[in-house]
């Protein structure tokens, strides 16, 4: 009986007395922990405990689904950059997820959620939780909440990496990630989700069309402007030279991973699953989230067929994601047909915004700005269409606040990085590819390709 | 000895190989190449931007043969690789001075 | 505390008054919703509510696992078609999943589940659910059930795309998908799962060996016959010329994704998780589902080694899926050793059926007909071996009914599509590959390959 | 209403009377099953039932997450072997997972968990569980526990396949898998998790740093020694010739899959989720598991930058896994900062151990020995740093016991296999690649590559 | 007739193609090759071990032209493919005795 | 000047390159090709159907050398690339009229 694995450890408290190293870092169980056991032995389940478990389980499931989105971004971006930059893109995604986790523990969480009180940011300090073996107060386990919030900040950082691919140096990118995940995202996140000033005003963003996606998009846009376009993307005469992505199946896989993860992203943002009403709402969110993505795909397919006479698979994939971003600000109140329409408008935005950005010579390698920034704005604006507790005015104030702060601060940070360590590889390194030039490991070393297109 | 070098459409390879075997040519070397010529390629659209695909996939066949067989090889390739559509490719013939079979060290005619 | 994100929204009803557009499409919360809160405040958890949450959670988890199978089909098919058709195959899979979701909302669900009453189909009409913030009557949240049923219909459509790959035009395929997911699958689905005539007769198909997999297989078979084989697959003299798939790791990944998703497919088809008995049954289903797949793999490996002196990885992958399809009609009543045997027979079917189809010049690119149609029939036939409430006679009637209807209607639809818009690309386009010919985006644009095999 | 699918089957017992074949193998429901229904109808949920469902659900979720790790190993290894051996690596991973499942049913589970009683192994016999429709005694469903334990044994076998890639023959590898998963792993597993002698001594290994990962690592090490290095890897003069892996995105994908699966691996090893305290512990485990992986990545990135002046993506990926293995022996008691440090030390181990093994001419294709064996030892040794109920002495005894037994028995088995059927392909076959030589299906048949590196 | 065969750096292809078109050459064939020469490659580190990358990606261009145009083609390629950095590549010229356009059967000068 | 063009088995490349370097040849160009010859390939089985793999991976080496060195180059390649097994490949030699180093514009002997 595996259940007995833990016979020696018991259901009671772990009286931790750290014998050797690191004693300050380990945690001691509060003695009250032992009082939890009797409750479980009662004939009937305690309503509070049952709800506590369901709520925590929601965070854990939502958390691992959103964690999985890190793989989705990695695959999507690996598929949409050219072969010579694929290893680098994979590395950046693994690294940024890791940095986000650490920074959000060391700085971010408290900055976002502790003592915001209607203000502009919280406290500084490493986050932590009660020691093992103890029961938690409140409606869910503290660490599950941290885990769930942490994976969101990683999402914002992933968005930046896609736009700036194929020309940014590794280290300045990682430094920006430190700042974004440790400071910028938590500060603006506190405004709404930490009960800061925008929450007090009534701004509404259920799962983060603005707070997560647009924030990533604004940071990416600032980076794209400071960094400049990839060499060869724009001709002197305004011509746009496409640089097709290396692998459509990886891009497709990445999109499906993100789609799957989004059920955690939106569904678990209900933040409670312990009542009929809550789990019914989560169900609505699942259905609406899926339908918005379907709407985005179908809109992108129909529109590219009509405009270009050929369906563009990358637009269809972007359309799915734009549909998902669009419904993220309010996945609960729309009816299912409305959800399809909200998502479809996201898909339309992508189809028009991608070439528009090219006209402006803003080189966004994977389409992150249309998908996350523009569809994020649309989704946030659409909230009052179905949620009567919100107003267009407040939504616009929120959108502007997030935009001004994130775009502004990002611009400054990118400029400082550019001025100090430099952010862009040399022309030669760019031609050679970042895989060889920066990290010395090719993505497909036996693929002899000079990168010449057929 | 001559080398007959032909640029053909990829899907014609098997047919050409069979025809050459039929006239007694039992060895050849194939390379994947890209061709640019009168067959102008096409324009594609990727994420809303047009671009010209001007290099088309072709195969290059190289066959070393005794000089007297070269004409027949050229004709055979030309006949079997022809579709009549633009882009069928070219055949070039040039002389080689020496041929060696690595395995045995045989040279010239014996090496082919 | 993130929990407070929603402080302004509250646990109460959302009084939705839509200010601007789309008012008819949004939903208004019933006032009773507010009465849910007190229940959660009770000292003990309500048995009904707890079971409700567990049941709904089962649908949500099962639903996201089956949704993930869409990615599995996409990767499996991308791996088993040739390089020049990989983008198209990815696009088709993203598109069909999206179409299935929308059609099942607009038409399918009601046609399958509403007012069937022992008959042959249900009602027409867009499906919907109570507005956000309200509790749901019944044993599970309505939207979670819709979500779970929806992902099944997408599975059926995925099966068709694999068989017909590399030669079918995009748009007629998508039109067929509209008909299959909006009408054909829901109509036949109603016969059993919607309590139609076959359910009344006692036909048994736990999670859909026939209702989902064989239906997909019959539609695929009809398509393959009308469409014809890929050029070059069959020589004039009866010779079979293999056209090996482009990527074994993608095919392997797809198989593992499907395997994972199948725990949702079969496990959540228990439809309830709120009792010891139900969750114990789900556990049995998980174990049996896994063992059947293991049996299919081992059978295929041993058999290909014996027959061909070499193990064929594509057969091993097909064997896993055939094992899974075989156990799907009855994953609960067999003991674990029986489950292995049922799955192993599925693997045997694949190894013999794949070359048999080639002899009949039925060109099934990914092996979907052996895996889904034939193993589906086998699985359905095997139910009475372990489930005493069923009979071979009824099972055969069910199998025939699904076959005759789906194969017949599919043939008609394919012929109409062929006669009107045409379903097959030209010989030149087929030689060039659908990626270039139909959608203009190559899967691996820097891969110079002429597609010549070494 | 899909819920009615099962109207004919009911909530009651399934009176199974097997009419035809296999009657002995099917299971008959105990009549008591019917008594379950009334409980669900009670006004309040039974505490015991609710905890039972939560515990079982934990095993099921944990189980499917760990099952998914099989795909992770397949992709990681496919990415890190050369193109000419990719199909074989995929096949081996599908096959070993299937064999593990069957062997663990036929032999392993009982050998590990039944009647160990402080001794050295359990009983022989096929495992099974109560028939469908019955409730289960105890704290969780029997089959869910089997499923969860089964996926762990598959993990151990996956580790071996990575180290020995590119030169071992298929069939001896599969035979070794039979022995490892049916006998070796269950015997040593019984020592601790089956309450054998090491459990009695107080050895502690929460989720298997030693019991799963080091065991896999020891078996791999023995195999690597008996098998010898790949031709061309080591020059006569002590030179090391890297043979870069074929696909960094697949390796990255595999790493992310493993990372995701690890939440099930560690989280569900809490073995209970029915109380506030348990689910809070699971939450801590999720957070710590994630942070340890982050620590491993960041350590590997910083260290390779400092030592080699270039970040090595394969080291970063190995670092993530080493972090995960390191925290696996005790993911609960460390505080979050300690978890980062424990994982980071795992990352450091990888960076130094990979070249060290090369110096010893031990050819470990994917880095499984540093990641699973060495980081596994480190993690097991680190337990007493934060868990006061353990001692370094006992931990060392445990580590040695697992090492001596598994390495010793593996050596013997590998030697016997070598002497009888031979374990290594010929030089020619190795040069040609196992895909062509052994299984006749290339991974990417249209990729013309001679494997020449640029 | 001559064939001008040039080994160039890959990113120079478009420029060379345009320059050749400008002087009236409307067809060419390109092959992806690996070059070894004075440009010595570099050492890489993979999992802690160094290795030399000595073969560098290059493109081989083959252009068949009437003999009198060969010099101009050589000069054009040399001028446009030059970066002045080591590894720019080589141009070789050799004679062919026959050329055939497969589509039409035209030969020699007419075939080009 | 001559070009020595050799078709060899892929795994012999490093050895041949080293041997050529030893006799003073410091540049060459390699192409991945497929060969068809006496070495007949093999039949494979994919999903129950047999098929012939008749084109085998080979490498083509091209070395431009002064005429007087050509013989030595041929011998060196032949010696190092030989395994004695069928499929070892061929060596062909032909003349070139001109050689240019793109970087410097040097010609002929100086360009090699
Ligand atoms: N002058 C040339 N030198 C070398 N190769 C050429 C030349 N002209 C054409 N080719 C090759 O022949 C192929 C077919 O030529 P193209 O002009 O398109 O059609 P066609 O042969 O029918 O006139 C081209 O794709 C290219 O590979
Ligand atoms: N003797 C040769 N024969 C054939 N190709 C050569 C020869 N020497 C150089 N090359 C090709 O020319 C390329 C450039 O030569 P390299 O010596 O590196 O630089 P450079 O041309 O600037 O002197 C090489 O990569 C190789 O492809
Ligand atoms: N007549 C030929 N012309 C061009 N290449 C040839 C010719 N004959 C053989 N080859 C090349 O040489 C390779 C080896 O030839 P093969 O006849 O198989 O063995 P061997 O060289 O040992 O006689 C072939 O794979 C092919 O690439």
């Amino acid at each position: 009986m595996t259940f007995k694995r833990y016979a020696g450890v018991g259901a009671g408290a772990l009286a931790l007395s750290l014998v050797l190293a690191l004693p300050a870092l380990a945690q001691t169980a509060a003695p009250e922990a032992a009082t939890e056991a009797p409750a479980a032995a009662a004939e009937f389940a305690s309503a509070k405990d049952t709800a506590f478990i369901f709520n925590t389980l929601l965070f854990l499931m939502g958390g691992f689904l959103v964690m999985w989105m890190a793989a989705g971004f990695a695959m999507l971006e690996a598929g949409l950059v050219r072969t010579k930059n694929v290893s680098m893109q994979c590395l950046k995604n693994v690294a940024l997820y890791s940095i986000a986790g650490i920074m959000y523990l060391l700085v971010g969480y408290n900055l976002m959620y502790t003592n915001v009180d209607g203000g502009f940011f919280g406290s500084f300090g490493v986050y932590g939780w009660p020691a093992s073996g103890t029961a938690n107060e409140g409606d869910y386990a503290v660490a599950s909440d941290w885990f769930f919030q942490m994976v969101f900040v990683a999402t914002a950082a992933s968005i930046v990496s896609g736009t700036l691919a194929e020309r940014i140096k590794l280290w300045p990118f990682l430094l920006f990630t430190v700042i974004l995940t440790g400071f910028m995202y938590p500060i603006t996140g506190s405004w709404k989700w930490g009960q800061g000033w925008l929450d007090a005003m009534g701004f509404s963003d259920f799962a983060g069309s603005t707070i997560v996606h647009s924030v990533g998009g604004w940071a990416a846009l600032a980076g794209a402007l400071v960094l400049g376009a990839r060499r060869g993307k724009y001709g002197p005469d305004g011509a746009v030279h496409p640089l097709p992505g290396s692998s459509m199946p990886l891009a497709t896989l990445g999109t499906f991973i993100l789609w799957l993860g989004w059920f955690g992203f939106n569904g678990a943002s209900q933040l409670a699953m312990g009542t009929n009403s809550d789990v019914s709402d989560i169900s609505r969110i699942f259905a609406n989230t899926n339908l918005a993505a379907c709407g985005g795909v179908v809109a992108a397919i129909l529109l590219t067929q009509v405009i270009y006479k050929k369906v563009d698979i990358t637009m269809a994939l972007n359309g799915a994601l734009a549909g998902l971003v669009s419904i993220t600000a309010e996945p609960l109140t729309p009816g299912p047909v409305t959800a399809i329409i909200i998502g479809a408008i996201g898909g339309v935005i992508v189809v028009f915004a991608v070439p528009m950005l090219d006209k402006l010579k803003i080189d966004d390698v994977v389409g992150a700005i249309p998908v996350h920034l523009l569809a994020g704005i649309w989704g946030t604006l659409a909230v009052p269409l179905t949620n009567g507790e919100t107003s267009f005015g407040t939504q616009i104030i929120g959108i502007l606040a997030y935009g001004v702060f994130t775009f502004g601060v990002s611009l400054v940070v990118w400029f400082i990085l550019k001025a100090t360590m430099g952010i862009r590889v040399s022309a030669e390194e760019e031609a050679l590819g970042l895989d060889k030039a920066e990290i010395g490991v090719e993505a497909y070393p036996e693929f002899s390709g000079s990168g010449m297109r057929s | 000895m001559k080398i007959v070098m032909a640029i053909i459409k990829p899907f014609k390879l098997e047919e050409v190989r069979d025809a050459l075997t039929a006239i007694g040519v039992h060895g050849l070397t194939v390379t994947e190449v890209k061709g640019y010529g009168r067959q102008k390629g096409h324009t594609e659209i990727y994420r809303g931007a047009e671009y010209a695909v001007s290099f088309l996939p072709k195969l290059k066949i190289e066959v070393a043969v005794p000089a007297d067989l070269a004409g027949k090889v050229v004709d055979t390739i030309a006949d079997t690789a022809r579709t009549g559509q633009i882009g069928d490719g070219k055949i070039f013939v040039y002389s080689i001075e020496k041929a060696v079979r690595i395995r045995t060290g045989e040279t010239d005619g014996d090496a082919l």
Side-chain angles (χ1 to χ4, degrees), chain A, chain B:
Chain A
M1 308 307 292
T2 53
F3 208 75
K4 297 186 210 150
R5 272 198 208 175
Y6 255 39
V9 176
L14 291 172
L16 300 177
S17 51
L18 300 173
V19 275
L20 272 184
L22 308 168
L25 296 170
Q27 302 175 325
T28 320
E32 305 84 39
T35 66
E36 213 56 27
E43 199 172 345
F44 296 117
S46 140
K48 190 169 158 38
D49 273 10
T50 303
F52 182 98
I53 298 169
F54 276 125
N55 295 342
T56 301
L57 180 57
L58 180 68
F59 282 140
L60 295 178
M61 281 180 45
F64 76 63
L65 286 173
V66 182
M67 175 271 157
W68 183 225
M69 291 172 73
F73 282 108
M75 293 301 108
L76 179 67
E77 296 175 14
L80 291 180
V81 301
R82 287 167 294 169
T83 299
K84 62 185 177 183
N85 298 309
V86 168
S87 278
M88 176 55 108
Q89 210 56 27
C90 290
L91 174 63
K92 278 177 186 158
N93 273 280
V94 172
L96 74 84
Y97 179 79
S98 301
I99 289 171
I102 293 175
M103 288 308 299
Y104 203 66
L105 184 86
L106 299 185
V107 190
Y109 189 91
N110 275 326
L111 200 50
M112 184 154 163
Y113 287 112
T114 307
N115 304 322
V116 183
D117 300 326
F120 294 85
F121 54 91
S123 324
F124 281 88
V126 180
Y127 193 63
W129 38 79
S132 64
T134 56
N136 276 213
E137 300 296 311
D139 295 315
Y140 51 83
V142 179
S144 72
D145 170 53
W146 178 82
F147 179 63
F148 184 63
Q149 299 305 331
M150 179 273 297
V151 290
F152 276 65
V153 67
T155 298
S158 300
I159 294 164
V160 182
S161 88
T163 296
L164 306 184
E166 306 207 74
R167 61 220 195 266
I168 197 170
K169 282 187 198 170
L170 177 62
W171 287 101
F173 171 75
L174 296 183
L175 274 183
F176 185 85
T177 302
V178 167
I179 295 164
L180 178 67
T181 61
F183 303 93
M184 290 170 54
Y185 172 95
I187 287 172
T188 54
S190 79
W191 298 352
K192 166 66 193 159
W193 290 345
Q195 333 246 218
W197 65 280
L198 269 169
D199 186 56
M201 279 189 65
F203 176 66
S204 176
D205 186 4
F206 193 91
S209 284
T210 286
I211 302 175
V212 181
H213 294 280
S214 285
V215 160
W218 285 117
L221 177 61
L225 292 175
V226 178
L227 191 59
R230 286 168 293 171
R231 267 161 236 276
K233 179 73 191 286
Y234 303 115
D237 49 342
V240 179
H241 303 299
L243 305 171
S246 55
S247 171
M248 290 308 120
L250 287 187
T252 304
L253 175 64
T255 301
F256 272 121
I257 293 175
L258 290 166
W259 194 325
L260 171 60
W262 231 286
F263 295 113
F265 202 97
N266 287 359
S269 288
Q270 174 73 7
L271 306 176
M273 188 172 64
T275 64
N276 175 313
S277 173
D278 275 322
V279 81
S280 297
D281 277 354
I282 295 171
S283 303
R284 292 173 186 109
I285 293 169
F286 267 57
N288 280 347
T289 298
N290 193 70
L291 285 168
C294 296
V297 170
V298 171
I301 287 178
L302 290 173
L303 213 56
T304 51
Q305 175 70 36
V306 168
I307 301 179
Y308 303 118
K309 306 284 171 291
K310 283 194 174 181
V311 174
D312 187 319
I313 175 174
T314 68
M315 292 283 204
L317 300 176
N318 277 176
L321 301 180
L324 290 162
V325 172
S326 301
I327 201 70
T328 292
E330 185 48 274
L332 179 54
T333 54
V337 176
T338 313
I340 297 174
I341 295 169
I342 289 172
I345 292 173
V348 171
I349 288 171
V350 159
V351 174
F352 288 113
V354 166
M356 195 195 72
L357 282 174
D358 274 340
K359 257 182 212 120
L360 299 172
K361 304 204 177 184
I362 296 170
D363 186 15
D364 176 9
V365 179
V366 305
I369 293 169
V371 164
H372 298 277
L373 176 53
L374 302 184
I377 290 174
W378 151 241
T380 310
L381 272 177
V383 175
L385 299 181
T386 63
N387 181 338
E389 305 207 342
T390 61
S391 81
F392 287 107
T394 321
Q395 295 302 94
I396 289 169
I397 290 172
I399 290 166
L400 288 176
Y402 279 91
V404 169
F405 180 92
T406 307
F407 183 70
V409 175
S410 296
L411 265 187
V412 171
V413 174
W414 286 121
F415 270 124
I416 292 174
L417 288 169
K418 185 174 181 172
T420 52
M421 65 198 303
I423 57 177
R424 184 159 182 149
V425 299
S426 71
E428 255 169 280
E429 290 172 317
E430 194 176 333
L432 194 62
L434 304 190
D435 290 0
K436 279 184 199 156
E438 283 244 300
I439 57 172
V441 178
E442 290 169 72
Y444 311 100
E446 294 163 90
F447 171 84
S448 62
S450 64
M452 182 188 161
R453 292 201 303 276
S454 52
Chain B
M1 293 155 297
K2 307 280 176 192
I3 283 190
V4 179
M5 167 174 136
I7 316 292
I8 62 168
K9 288 187 170 167
F11 71 96
K12 281 290 187 179
L13 176 64
E14 305 276 316
E15 231 171 297
V16 170
R17 200 256 328 259
D18 292 347
L20 288 178
T21 309
I23 61 163
V25 173
H26 295 295
L28 52 83
T29 298
V30 189
T31 313
E32 296 185 346
V33 298
K34 298 278 167 59
Y36 174 75
R38 257 169 262 268
Q39 184 192 12
K40 270 296 173 298
H42 47 290
T43 55
E44 285 297 354
I45 290 175
Y46 179 77
R47 298 177 74 68
E50 286 207 351
Y51 66 107
V53 174
S54 40
F55 291 95
L56 299 167
K58 304 279 171 188
L59 291 180
K60 175 162 88 178
I61 298 179
E62 286 163 301
V63 199
V65 284
D68 54 352
L69 207 63
K72 204 167 168 194
V73 167
V74 170
D75 292 349
T76 306
I77 295 177
D79 288 352
T80 47
R82 183 177 300 131
T83 67
Q85 304 286 317
I86 198 160
D88 274 352
K90 315 277 177 203
I91 307 175
F92 306 118
V93 181
Y94 60 92
S95 295
I96 52 174
E97 289 143 29
K98 197 169 181 181
V100 179
R101 164 173 289 128
I102 293 175
R103 170 165 50 99
T104 57
E106 287 163 291
T107 53
D108 299 345
D110 298 334
L112 302 180

